[in-house]
Amino acid sequence: MTHTQNKRATPDAAAPTGAGGQLGERAPAVSADGLPTWLEPVARAARTVRAGQLSRFLPPENGAGRQSAVLILFGEGERGPELLLMERSGTLRSHAGQPSFPGGSLDPEDGDHMTTGPLRAALREAEEETGLDPSGVQLFGVLPRLYIPVSGFVVTPVLGWWRKPSPVGAVDPAETARVFTATVADLTDPANRVTVVHPSGHPGPAFLVESTLVWGFTAGVMDRIVHHAGWERPWDRTRQVPLDWRA
């Protein structure tokens, strides 16, 4: 991976979100100030982790790929620390029916994909897909860009703290089947950890949470965050779950 591809989105200290849940004209800021203590290990890991420590699939050096961003949003729910997830509609052309982080492709108005574009895109897409109010989200980190070969997406994971939670749900059933949260306790419970084996033969980490098998890119990033934050507990990696041939 080239030095340019390792470049993170940089914070814009003079760029708050707009009122009423809508993004302002400029990109939001990135700040780790005021995070809850339990989330600080994630912020620390985000500052030093390299792309190769998150995935073996890195963006093509020739610049190919569709630029996109996802919002990895942590909150504090009734059952403790949690992570916002959604299930994609089964009718979508890419990654149909899969649990995922909110997110999608960058639009031209989001701006430069090498700087603050992913910040705007992550919040915009999350609002469009789940209905969350972006003004209640504090962005506290940006992970290196990764690659999803099957769909050609170059993905920038953006980390957020749900400082002021707002109601969420599937905004457009044609795009989102459901929106849900998974507790960090469930995600780190060894009983909920499995290895999935794709029909292609490729194994990968997965989570059995909220009556859902979370696998693929989303599970891979979650697995690495849990590991680098120091939350990982020993689990049985030989416990395998096959994936449907349509996956």
Side-chain angles (χ1 to χ4, degrees):
M1 193 172 188
T2 65
H3 175 74
T4 299
Q5 288 170 322
N6 265 318
K7 186 176 180 182
R8 312 288 184 89
T10 55
D12 183 347
T17 52
Q22 300 297 320
L23 292 175
E25 293 182 359
R26 301 176 65 191
V30 175
S31 172
D33 293 343
L35 292 179
T37 302
W38 62 265
L39 196 51
E40 290 176 356
V42 179
R44 286 197 298 268
R47 290 193 288 267
T48 60
V49 71
R50 297 176 180 272
Q53 295 176 298
L54 297 174
S55 174
R56 65 188 183 93
F57 298 112
L58 306 183
E61 293 189 7
N62 63 5
R66 189 173 180 182
Q67 298 297 327
S68 63
V70 295
L71 179 63
I72 303 177
L73 183 60
F74 292 92
E76 187 81 49
E78 294 181 356
R79 297 187 295 143
E82 61 186 12
L83 185 64
L84 181 68
L85 296 168
M86 52 174 273
E87 184 177 320
R88 294 168 59 83
S89 170
T91 60
L92 294 174
R93 288 184 294 178
S94 297
H95 309 289
Q98 290 187 27
S100 68
F101 303 117
S105 299
L106 268 67
D107 285 347
E109 57 268 28
D110 291 325
D112 186 0
H113 72 273
M114 294 299 292
T115 56
T116 54
L119 308 180
R120 291 184 60 86
L123 288 174
R124 175 182 54 75
E125 286 283 345
E127 182 179 19
E128 292 174 359
E129 292 173 335
T130 73
L132 70 79
D133 183 348
S135 69
V137 175
Q138 175 184 338
L139 302 182
F140 68 89
V142 181
L143 299 179
R145 293 186 300 151
L146 305 174
Y147 188 58
I148 305 180
V150 67
S151 57
F153 281 101
V154 175
V155 185
T156 299
V158 179
L159 300 171
W161 160 236
W162 211 353
R163 181 175 291 279
K164 296 180 181 179
S166 53
V168 292
V171 175
D172 182 358
E175 186 172 359
T176 307
R178 71 173 177 132
V179 177
F180 62 100
T181 58
T183 66
V184 170
D186 284 345
L187 292 171
T188 57
D189 186 341
N192 298 329
R193 303 297 307 273
V194 296
T195 296
V196 292
V197 181
H198 194 273
S200 66
H202 175 67
F207 299 79
L208 292 165
V209 291
E210 298 299 321
S211 303
T212 300
L213 175 65
V214 182
W215 62 281
F217 174 85
T218 302
V221 174
M222 287 166 50
D223 171 79
R224 294 295 81 196
I225 288 176
V226 167
H227 172 77
H228 290 291
W231 294 345
E232 188 173 38
R233 298 159 60 189
W235 58 282
D236 185 3
R237 297 175 185 273
T238 67
R239 182 186 175 200
Q240 296 186 345
V241 174
L243 284 176
D244 188 276
W245 67 270
R246 295 167 296 180

